[in-house]
């Protein structure tokens, strides 16, 4: 599992959802005995809608996969906003 892989390699597990269909339990750390799990407070879709005023569903290459520009913004802006600049 991802948790085992992270434990064996002393890595943190960072979870985030892309949209409203991605459900991550709010108390996920109660389900797992794992010290280095971090969960984003906002989904990618909500963050873009609230912070950037962008509907990312309008920025797909095939109605499912996001454009390179959206992926770049996820990497450079969304992830640091959720997990901090030094924790990626």
């Amino acid at each position: 599992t991802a948790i085992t892989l992270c434990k064996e390699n002393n890595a943190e597990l960072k979870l985030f959802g892309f949209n409203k269909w991605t459900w991550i339990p709010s108390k996920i750390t109660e389900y797992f005995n794992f010290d280095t799990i971090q969960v984003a407070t906002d989904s990618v879709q909500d963050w873009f809608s609230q912070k950037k005023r962008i509907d990312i569903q309008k920025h797909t290459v095939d109605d499912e996969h996001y454009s390179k520009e959206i992926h770049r913004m996820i990497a450079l802006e969304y992830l640091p906003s959720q997990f901090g600049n030094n924790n990626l």
Side-chain angles (χ1 to χ4, degrees):
T1 66
I3 293 174
T4 302
L5 185 62
C6 288
K7 281 184 179 181
E8 289 174 356
N9 291 284
N10 196 29
E12 294 180 338
L13 177 62
K14 297 174 188 312
L15 298 176
F16 61 95
F18 272 96
N19 53 42
K20 64 184 176 186
W21 298 286
T22 308
W23 180 73
I24 300 172
S26 60
K27 297 181 180 182
I28 195 166
T29 54
E30 292 180 11
Y31 298 105
F32 298 100
N33 184 16
F34 192 50
D35 297 339
T36 57
I37 191 171
Q38 292 183 33
V39 181
T41 55
D42 301 310
S43 73
V44 171
Q45 189 173 27
D46 287 346
W47 185 86
F48 269 86
S49 177
Q50 294 168 8
K51 304 290 184 191
K52 294 292 192 178
R53 306 281 190 241
I54 295 173
D55 179 358
I56 59 173
Q57 291 309 115
K58 294 180 180 178
H59 297 273
T60 61
V61 294
D62 60 6
D63 293 329
E64 181 180 359
H65 299 95
Y66 299 115
S67 67
K68 286 183 180 180
E69 180 62 21
I70 293 297
H71 279 282
R72 186 187 71 74
M73 292 172 75
I74 290 170
L76 298 177
E77 298 179 50
Y78 167 78
L79 292 174
S81 79
Q82 301 299 298
F83 302 113
N85 290 322
N86 297 326
N87 293 320
L88 297 176

